[in-house]
Amino acid sequence: NEGNEYFKEKDYGRAVAAYSEGLRRRCGDAELDAVLLANRGAAHFHLGNYRSALNDAIQAKKLKPTHLKAIIRGALCHMELKNFSEAIAWCEEGLQIDSKEKKLVEMRAKADKLKGEELERTFLGTQTDFSTCVQGRAVMGTDLLCERNIKLVLEPSDEEEEVSGGLAEISLDGFHSDSATGAKVHLDADGNLNWPVLFLYPEHEQTDFTMAFHENSRFIDHLMVMFAELPPWDLEKKYLPNNLELYFEDEEREEMYEVNPEHTLLQVLQHERYFVKAGTPMVLVFAKRSPFSKKYFCGKKVHRL
């Protein structure tokens, strides 16, 4: 109920937090959990967190396969993520439940059309998107970056690549920054950028990857979803949304900067010392005041909040 009130007030961030708290209660009622997940997915969708919204739709559908709202939401997320084939599949699944659902009928037709246009562009070798591919890496048009004061760094080609000890080069269980499912930053219908963002957990050599982090979404909103349940590798139960510290590294100066979880992605990207490498922003995540973080930052220059 609290989440619904926030949702009506269009305070989607607090709605996400309220629905997440409801899920943490583990009521054991699959029907209610499906509603909580579907509602949280709707709030995420309005925040532009399409990947998180899709994950909630998937979980809601698992609990209740006939949950039409969750299916519609999942299809919408795939549309925003430009996964047109997946959007079509979700629409068809929903139409098997209700063949006259107007939203699904219209979305199915739109997805078909966009998929056809995408195939045609690929065939002709043209790109109508604002991004172009340089040496196999996604690079945005400089006008969109300049107006936002975002600094992008291109990695050298394989022939020119040098060995680097910087954090952007580290590989955790084979998960490298430029191989994160091939996701690219994209421009949505409202003119906002949605970025693929990589979260690194050095203490446990783990990662999280968000395919579409809306530039005006706050980090705390994503953390509330990512850690709504404790990850299996957090045996000490330290990784709670309000017990986390975020940082980014200035490789050139070999300095660390703390990130305010209440800040949006755009605010962080606009920091004078933040440089986006290979089209994928990255942040490091630590449990507050943990022995590992104290050891990790020992001897390093850290700019704290």
Side-chain angles (χ1 to χ4, degrees):
N1 290 337
E2 183 180 319
N4 290 346
E5 288 300 318
Y6 284 130
F7 194 96
K8 290 176 184 176
E9 296 168 5
K10 297 185 178 181
D11 192 342
Y12 301 118
R14 284 192 171 88
V16 166
Y19 294 135
S20 297
E21 180 61 29
L23 287 164
R24 274 195 291 271
R25 298 300 173 91
R26 299 180 183 277
C27 66
D29 185 334
E31 182 86 17
L32 179 54
D33 281 344
V35 172
L36 285 164
L37 285 163
N39 288 0
R40 187 173 72 177
H44 270 303
F45 188 88
H46 284 286
L47 287 168
N49 302 336
Y50 303 122
R51 174 56 53 183
S52 296
L54 177 58
N55 288 338
D56 281 344
I58 291 171
Q59 294 304 314
K61 188 157 68 76
K62 283 182 180 179
L63 291 172
K64 187 180 179 182
T66 59
H67 199 311
L68 203 56
K69 286 186 177 180
I71 292 173
I72 293 171
R73 185 68 57 193
L76 284 168
C77 290
H78 278 304
M79 291 291 289
E80 292 293 341
L81 295 169
K82 302 186 186 305
N83 302 330
F84 303 124
S85 294
E86 290 84 350
I88 291 170
W90 277 65
C91 286
E92 290 179 344
E93 187 175 350
L95 289 170
Q96 288 179 1
I97 299 170
D98 184 352
S99 61
K100 297 181 180 180
E101 171 53 55
K102 185 178 179 181
K103 290 182 180 178
L104 290 174
V105 172
E106 293 177 351
M107 203 184 326
R108 175 71 168 79
K110 184 177 180 181
D112 262 333
K113 179 182 177 182
L114 292 173
K115 182 181 178 182
E117 291 176 354
E118 185 177 59
L119 290 172
E120 183 180 357
R121 287 198 301 270
T122 302
F123 179 75
L124 295 174
T126 59
Q127 291 290 335
T128 59
D129 202 340
F130 72 90
S131 63
T132 58
C133 190
V134 176
Q135 297 174 348
R137 294 175 175 86
V139 184
M140 294 185 306
T142 55
D143 54 339
L144 291 168
L145 293 178
C146 288
E147 69 184 30
R148 288 167 168 79
N149 194 28
I150 297 174
K151 298 164 287 297
L152 189 72
V153 176
L154 297 182
E155 290 182 292
S157 64
D158 292 338
E159 292 78 9
E160 302 170 344
E161 196 156 4
E162 298 178 356
V163 176
S164 169
L167 280 170
E169 292 288 336
I170 68 174
S171 177
L172 302 179
D173 297 331
F175 202 123
H176 190 272
S177 61
D178 62 0
S179 65
T181 74
K184 295 180 182 180
V185 58
H186 68 272
L187 196 68
D188 64 23
D190 297 321
N192 297 307
L193 294 179
N194 292 267
W195 293 80
V197 176
L198 188 61
F199 294 83
L200 307 176
Y201 309 100
E203 181 176 2
H204 297 280
E205 295 191 343
Q206 297 288 332
T207 64
D208 270 323
F209 184 67
T210 300
M211 291 187 68
F213 195 132
H214 191 283
E215 62 182 350
N216 293 323
S217 292
R218 303 178 306 166
F219 278 89
I220 187 62
D221 295 326
H222 281 269
L223 294 176
M224 292 295 291
V225 174
M226 292 159 57
F227 293 96
E229 296 185 6
L230 290 172
W233 43 262
D234 181 21
L235 300 179
E236 297 179 25
K237 300 182 179 180
K238 298 184 298 185
Y239 283 71
L240 303 171
N242 295 318
N243 191 46
L244 300 176
E245 292 181 343
L246 310 180
Y247 295 85
F248 70 84
E249 183 190 35
D250 181 347
E251 292 184 57
E252 182 181 332
R253 297 182 180 179
E254 297 184 348
E255 298 176 355
M256 305 291 294
Y257 289 82
E258 188 173 2
V259 173
N260 187 340
E262 296 290 336
H263 280 179
T264 64
L265 175 61
L266 181 58
Q267 286 177 293
V268 174
L269 297 184
Q270 290 177 330
H271 190 283
E272 61 180 356
R273 296 307 304 171
Y274 197 99
F275 299 89
V276 179
K277 189 171 183 180
T280 304
M282 289 180 284
V283 294
L284 290 93
V285 185
F286 300 86
K288 289 181 180 178
R289 297 176 292 279
S290 68
F292 178 88
S293 65
K294 290 179 181 178
K295 182 178 179 181
Y296 187 92
F297 292 118
C298 182
K300 295 183 181 180
K301 185 171 182 180
V302 181
H303 299 269
R304 297 191 180 273
L305 296 175

